[in-house]
Amino acid sequence: MEKPPYKRIWYACPYCGKRLFIYDNTALVKGVYIKCKGCNKEIKVQIKVH
């Protein structure tokens, strides 16, 4: 069984573009909310595996 390629990606705020956190290409995130320290808006994070 082959391992998926490992790649680290920055998740950026869709409003101001500030980098919030790093995730890899094997991440699956659903139903998580984070507050941006740049613009103080709440962002719903959804990361799907391709």
Side-chain angles (χ1 to χ4, degrees):
M1 180 177 217
E2 289 185 41
K3 292 183 180 179
Y6 183 77
K7 183 177 178 184
R8 292 173 53 162
I9 306 158
W10 276 99
Y11 191 90
C13 174
Y15 300 107
C16 70
K18 182 174 176 70
R19 292 177 173 181
L20 301 174
F21 58 88
I22 298 176
Y23 66 96
D24 66 18
N25 63 333
T26 61
L28 176 62
V29 179
K30 185 176 164 184
V32 174
Y33 293 86
I34 189 168
K35 188 172 183 181
C36 177
K37 291 182 179 181
C39 63
N40 290 325
K41 292 187 179 182
E42 190 175 88
I43 300 144
K44 183 177 183 181
V45 178
Q46 289 186 336
I47 300 172
K48 298 177 184 175
V49 177
H50 300 290

